[in-house]
Amino acid sequence: MPINSVNTNSGAYTALQNLNATNRDLDISQNRINTGKKVNNAKDNGAIWAIAQQQRSEVTALNTVRESLARGSSAVDVGLAAGESISDLLVQMKDKALAATDSSLNTASRAALNEDYKALRDQITTVVTNASFNGLNMLNATTGFSALSNSTGTALRVKGEILSLNGGNVTVTATSSIGTRTLATAQLTAVNTSINNVSSALARLGTGAKAYDTHSTFITKLSDALENGVGNLVDADLAKESARLQSLQTKQQLGVQALSIANQSSGTLLGLFR
C-alpha cells in the first residue's frame, strides 16, 4: 500500500484492530483457565448458561430430597430397632407364660414368674415411648413419615405401626398377668398372637426402610449424573485452553511488533523532503 499521508495510517489501524482482537481472545482464554469454565455467566453463552442454571437448581433440590429421605430412613431404623426389642421381650414373656401353665408350680414360683412377666410387659411401654427420632415415633401411630421423593414435592410415605400394649398388634394389655394357670394359658395365646403381629409389622417397616434406602441411592446417582451434565456444558477443556493461551500470547507479541512497524512506516515520508 502506498504511503501518501501522515494523517491516516491504515496499516496501523489494521494492526491495532488485530491486536485488540487477540487481546480479547487472550482475556477469554485466561478467564476460562482461572474459573475452569467456558461458560461462566449468561454473557458467555446465554442459552447454555440458562440450561446449566436450571440443572443446578435441580441438583440443589435433589440434595434436599436426599436429606428428607435420610431423616425418614433414620426414623424407620429407630422404629425397627425398637420393634426388634419388643419382639425379643415378647419371646421372653412367652417363656414365662408357658412356664406358668405348669400345674405343678408352687405359689412362690408362680409369683416370681408373674413378677418377671409384668416387668417385661412394662418394658414394652418404655421401649415404645423412647423409640423417637427427631420427634417422630414410628411405633405409636400409623401416620408414619412422608419423605420427599423428587423435586416437585411428591411424597414417599412409610406408614407407622402401633406396637404399644393393647394397640392391635400387641394384644397383651397393660394389666395382664400370669398369676394363675388360667391367666397364664390366656396370656400364652395373647403373646403368641402378639409375636406374629409384631413380626408382620416389622416386615412392613423393613420394606419401607428398604424403599427409602433404594430411592436415596437412586437420587444420589441422579444428582451425580446431572452434575456431570452441567460440567459437560460449562466446564472448559483446560489442556486445550493452555495450548490456546500460549498461541495467543505469541500472536499478541507479533501483533505488538506489527503495530510498531506500522507506526514507523509514516516516518519514511520524511525522506521525501530531504
Side-chain angles (χ1 to χ4, degrees):
M1 178 179 294
I3 302 173
N4 53 24
S5 174
V6 295
N7 295 317
T8 303
N9 189 338
S10 59
Y13 292 161
T14 300
L16 180 59
Q17 291 170 4
N18 290 334
L19 180 59
N20 287 338
T22 300
N23 287 338
R24 286 193 296 270
D25 290 342
L26 191 59
D27 288 341
I28 292 173
S29 185
Q30 288 175 330
N31 185 61
R32 289 177 176 178
I33 291 174
N34 289 336
T35 62
K37 297 178 180 178
K38 62 184 177 184
V39 180
N40 198 42
N41 51 51
K43 183 179 179 180
D44 294 332
N45 188 321
I48 294 299
W49 181 85
I51 294 172
Q53 195 71 352
Q54 194 279 331
Q55 295 306 306
R56 290 190 187 101
S57 71
E58 187 71 11
V59 170
T60 301
L62 290 178
N63 287 336
T64 301
V65 171
R66 188 163 54 232
E67 291 171 359
S68 178
L69 288 168
R71 290 194 299 273
S73 182
S74 297
V76 177
D77 286 345
V78 170
L80 281 171
E84 289 168 1
S85 295
I86 291 171
S87 182
D88 291 341
L89 289 170
L90 288 170
V91 169
Q92 295 178 59
M93 290 169 66
K94 177 179 179 179
D95 180 58
K96 304 300 180 183
L98 180 60
T101 60
D102 188 347
S103 59
S104 65
L105 286 176
N106 57 37
T107 302
S109 297
R110 186 175 299 280
L113 286 172
N114 190 37
E115 288 302 314
D116 288 344
Y117 182 88
K118 290 190 292 184
L120 293 170
R121 176 202 68 194
D122 294 341
Q123 196 171 343
I124 291 177
T125 300
T126 301
V127 171
V128 171
T129 301
N130 290 283
S132 296
F133 176 83
N134 195 31
L136 176 66
N137 193 319
M138 297 292 291
L139 301 185
N140 64 3
T142 58
T143 305
F145 188 91
S146 294
L148 294 172
S149 65
N150 55 43
S151 59
T152 64
T154 303
L156 181 60
R157 182 187 175 201
V158 174
K159 292 180 63 176
E161 301 287 344
I162 299 177
L163 298 188
S164 55
L165 293 175
N166 200 30
N169 287 313
V170 178
T171 58
V172 176
T173 67
T175 58
S176 61
S177 72
I178 54 173
T180 66
R181 185 171 181 272
T182 300
L183 289 173
T185 301
Q187 285 307 300
L188 181 61
T189 300
V191 170
N192 279 328
T193 301
S194 298
I195 290 174
N196 292 334
N197 291 343
V198 168
S199 295
S200 297
L202 292 180
R204 291 190 292 269
L205 282 178
T207 299
K210 184 65 175 179
Y212 276 171
D213 290 345
T214 300
H215 197 62
S216 180
T217 300
F218 165 70
I219 291 297
T220 298
K221 291 181 178 179
L222 179 58
S223 179
D224 290 345
L226 289 175
E227 288 184 348
N228 288 334
V230 171
N232 291 335
L233 290 174
V234 304
D235 288 351
D237 185 339
L238 295 182
K240 181 179 179 180
E241 292 301 329
S242 177
R244 187 167 183 266
L245 179 64
Q246 294 182 27
S247 174
L248 288 171
Q249 288 173 337
T250 301
K251 189 176 179 180
Q252 182 188 50
Q253 294 172 8
L254 292 174
V256 170
Q257 292 179 3
L259 180 60
S260 177
I261 292 171
N263 285 333
Q264 292 172 5
S265 62
S266 60
T268 59
L269 290 174
L270 294 175
L272 299 175
F273 299 96
R274 291 176 185 167

